[in-house]
């Protein structure tokens, strides 16, 4: 019989191998069989050690959390006492993201995957809550010398949480670099009480981007092409891009597996169309298009909060738009890290972040809010992150949370 120490060493080896494989292939794609082959053991040994795959995932998450806590200690320890000023804080946050998307940061890939679980178990919710609290505490400790920054710690950590998905997919791209730096700079300016600068890079990207045609724009709802896209979009929103297969879609459509090939040149084109369809299909009226949806004269903060609250709902029967949309974007970014063909789509989503919020502000946002282009980006990244964090922790934002964040992130006219 192996000793308890030997069992402990083997369990640690399995967890480390699971983190390494998940960093490359994704936590959802981790199988006990592949993991057993990697460590030279049987799946029975892994089950005996961890009880089930869920037990293994929990152990992987706890180890990744431990490594991430050590990362934060080392990262902020290396800049202890650094004066808090705009350029230094911007450089620090950019460096933080670069470290977290590096190939050796497997623990960060685990964090990204756990946030996308639509139905986390109570133990996983507790883990994510502890993980988020650790990150907030690390940033709060570093920024503690400037009292102005304390209210912005959690919004900044949320912003970095969602930007990390984009940075992981788009690292090294110059267009992403300039747009992301502008957005992060705007978050820091707001925290320091500085006015927002012109959104030069964001407007440049908007003016040069080419938006794909909606795949089902000309298809009647009952048409087979539209039906296939709707089925695939539902599967993507529920389980990510990898959930879509020829067989999974054809089974729901009650048609043969050759039907997709009749309408698309190959499965890759179909999946890309389905992803874009899932982006545009369920866009609520207050985000889609550029025209106001109601009388600006009646827009106030309470009414705005009542419009926004359903978009962050985490009830399974009525999951909010931002929860689904944030999960979709994050899953696209995770896949784009492995599949370069998805990176242009990831950039198409990041470049104009907040565009719907900005162009649809009239009649939705109170007139005394200065919702300029960078403020809209700031809010859009924040609410997507909080939508994911709320689902992962089992605690959705309420109307008071939304109103407090709006007042914090967007300046108001005096």
């Amino acid at each position: 019989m192996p000793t308890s120490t030997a069992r402990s060493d083997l369990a640690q080896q399995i967890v480390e191998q699971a983190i390494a494989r998940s960093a490359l292939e994704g936590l959802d794609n981790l199988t006990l069989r592949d993991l057993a082959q990697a460590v030279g053991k049987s799946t029975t040994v892994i089950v005996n050690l961890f009880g089930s795959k869920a037990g293994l995932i929990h152990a992987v998450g706890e180890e990744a959390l431990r490594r991430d806590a050590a990362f934060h200690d080392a990262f902020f320890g290396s800049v202890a006492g650094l004066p808090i000023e705009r350029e230094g804080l911007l450089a620090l946050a950019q460096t933080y993201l670069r470290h977290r998307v590096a190939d050796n940061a497997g623990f960060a890939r685990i964090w990204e995957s756990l946030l996308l679980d639509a139905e986390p178990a109570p133990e996983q919710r507790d883990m994510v809550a502890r993980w988020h609290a650790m990150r907030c505490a690390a940033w709060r400790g570093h920024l503690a010398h400037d009292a102005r920054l304390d209210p912005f710690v959690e919004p900044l950590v949320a912003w970095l949480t969602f930007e990390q998905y984009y940075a992981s997919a788009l690292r090294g791209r110059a267009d992403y670099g300039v747009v992301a730096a502008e957005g992060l700079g705007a978050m820091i300016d707001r925290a320091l009480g500085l006015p927002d600068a012109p959104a030069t890079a964001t407007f440049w990207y908007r003016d040069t981007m080419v938006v794909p045609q909606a795949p089902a724009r000309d298809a009647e709802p009952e048409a087979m092409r539209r039906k296939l896209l709707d089925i695939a979009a539902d599967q993507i929103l529920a389980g990510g891009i990898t959930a879509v297969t020829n067989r999974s879609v054809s089974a729901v459509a009650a048609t043969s597996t050759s039907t997709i090939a009749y309408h698309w040149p190959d499965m890759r084109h179909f999946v890309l169309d389905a992803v874009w369809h899932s982006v545009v299909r369920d866009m609520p009226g207050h985000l889609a298009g550029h025209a106001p949806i109601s009388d600006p004269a009646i827009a106030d903060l309470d009414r705005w909060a009542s419009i926004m609250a359903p978009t962050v709902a985490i009830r399974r029967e009525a999951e909010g738009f931002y929860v689904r949309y944030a999960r979709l974007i994050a899953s696209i970014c995770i896949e784009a890290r492995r599949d370069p063909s998805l990176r242009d789509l990831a950039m198409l989503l990041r470049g104009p972040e907040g565009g719907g919020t900005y162009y649809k502000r009239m009649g939705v946002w109170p007139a005394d809010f200065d919702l300029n282009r960078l403020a809209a980006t700031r809010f859009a990244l924040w609410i997507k992150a909080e939508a994911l964090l709320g689902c992962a922790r089992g605690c959705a934002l309420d109307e008071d949370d939304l109103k407090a964040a709006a007042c914090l992130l967007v300046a108001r006219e005096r």
Side-chain angles (χ1 to χ4, degrees):
M1 287 285 292
T3 65
S4 59
T5 300
R7 286 197 298 271
S8 177
D9 289 345
L10 177 58
Q12 183 64 20
Q13 179 188 356
I14 291 170
V15 166
E16 290 176 356
Q17 185 62 226
I19 292 175
R21 294 186 71 86
S22 297
L24 294 174
E25 302 169 9
L27 192 60
D28 288 344
N29 294 324
L30 181 68
T31 67
L32 295 185
R33 177 173 297 179
D34 290 343
L35 188 57
Q37 291 178 346
V39 298
K41 301 292 182 180
S42 68
T43 57
T44 302
V45 170
I46 297 177
V47 172
N48 287 341
L49 284 169
F50 298 100
S52 63
K53 184 177 179 181
L56 170 65
I57 297 301
H58 185 77
V60 166
E62 290 290 353
E63 173 62 16
L65 171 54
R66 185 193 68 78
R67 293 187 187 186
D68 206 1
F71 161 81
H72 281 80
D73 287 344
F75 182 83
F76 287 112
S78 69
V79 291
L82 178 70
I84 303 299
E85 48 82 27
R86 199 260 185 195
E87 295 308 318
L89 187 52
L90 175 58
L92 183 70
Q94 289 175 311
T95 304
Y96 177 85
L97 280 175
R98 282 198 297 271
H99 281 306
R100 295 186 68 76
V101 303
D103 291 335
N104 62 353
F107 56 85
R109 308 287 79 74
I110 302 301
W111 165 247
E112 293 166 3
S113 294
L114 291 177
L115 281 185
L116 301 192
D117 192 339
E119 298 181 28
E123 301 82 9
Q124 186 169 309
R125 288 178 175 176
D126 173 72
M127 183 196 305
V128 170
R130 288 185 287 115
W131 203 322
H132 180 62
M134 176 275 295
R135 297 180 69 206
C136 289
W139 275 97
R140 181 168 283 111
H142 180 71
L143 302 176
H145 298 298
D146 191 330
R148 294 174 300 171
L149 300 178
D150 187 69
F152 286 89
V153 168
E154 293 206 22
L156 175 62
V157 172
W159 190 97
L160 292 166
T161 294
F162 205 75
E163 191 68 75
Q164 184 176 312
Y165 289 107
Y166 285 125
S168 181
L170 300 169
R171 56 181 180 164
R173 285 185 60 141
D175 52 356
Y176 168 71
V178 296
V179 170
E182 184 174 80
L184 177 55
M187 173 63 84
I188 292 171
D189 286 340
R190 180 65 183 151
L192 294 174
L194 302 173
D196 284 324
T200 306
T202 302
F203 281 128
W204 161 78
Y205 185 80
R206 181 208 62 181
D207 292 341
T208 58
M209 66 185 288
V210 178
V211 179
Q213 178 178 313
R217 186 183 66 176
D218 300 322
E220 295 296 328
E222 65 275 10
M224 178 56 70
R225 180 181 175 87
R226 172 65 179 268
K227 183 178 181 179
L228 294 171
L229 286 170
D230 279 335
I231 292 168
D234 289 339
Q235 293 179 353
I236 288 169
L237 290 169
I241 297 174
T242 57
V244 176
T245 66
N246 193 332
R247 189 175 297 278
S248 72
V249 175
S250 301
V252 176
T255 188
S256 73
T257 54
S258 63
T259 306
I260 291 176
Y262 176 79
H263 291 279
W264 283 270
D266 52 44
M267 195 65 188
R268 165 59 57 187
H269 282 82
F270 171 66
V271 171
L272 289 175
D273 271 2
V275 168
W276 190 243
H277 183 56
S278 62
V279 169
V280 301
R281 184 188 63 173
D282 297 333
M283 191 79 70
H286 67 275
L287 293 176
H290 292 183
I293 63 170
S294 61
D295 183 359
I298 65 172
D300 61 23
L301 192 57
D302 288 336
R303 182 177 178 279
W304 171 87
S306 70
I307 292 173
M308 298 304 298
T311 69
V312 292
I314 60 174
R315 300 184 305 277
R316 184 176 180 183
E317 66 277 10
E319 194 173 55
F321 165 77
Y322 273 120
V323 182
R324 300 191 307 274
Y325 191 39
R327 192 183 297 131
L328 169 65
I329 293 173
S331 67
I332 289 170
C333 289
I334 287 175
E335 288 302 312
R337 188 179 177 102
R338 297 187 287 268
D339 183 350
S341 70
L342 290 170
R343 289 175 188 163
D344 285 343
L345 175 58
M347 186 62 208
L348 193 64
L349 294 168
R350 173 58 185 92
E353 261 286 8
T357 299
Y358 175 69
Y359 290 111
K360 294 290 289 187
R361 64 193 183 277
M362 293 181 62
V364 178
W365 283 77
D368 63 327
F369 277 77
D370 181 20
L371 193 71
N372 60 57
R373 188 63 187 83
L374 292 182
T377 297
R378 194 160 54 225
F379 180 81
L381 285 168
W382 171 83
I383 198 170
K384 290 183 181 72
E386 287 292 348
L388 286 182
L389 287 163
C391 184
R393 294 180 295 170
C395 52
L397 297 169
D398 60 25
E399 291 189 17
D400 288 338
D401 294 327
L402 289 162
K403 288 189 284 189
C407 294
L408 188 68
L409 296 172
V410 182
R412 302 179 78 172
E413 298 175 2
R414 297 184 179 180

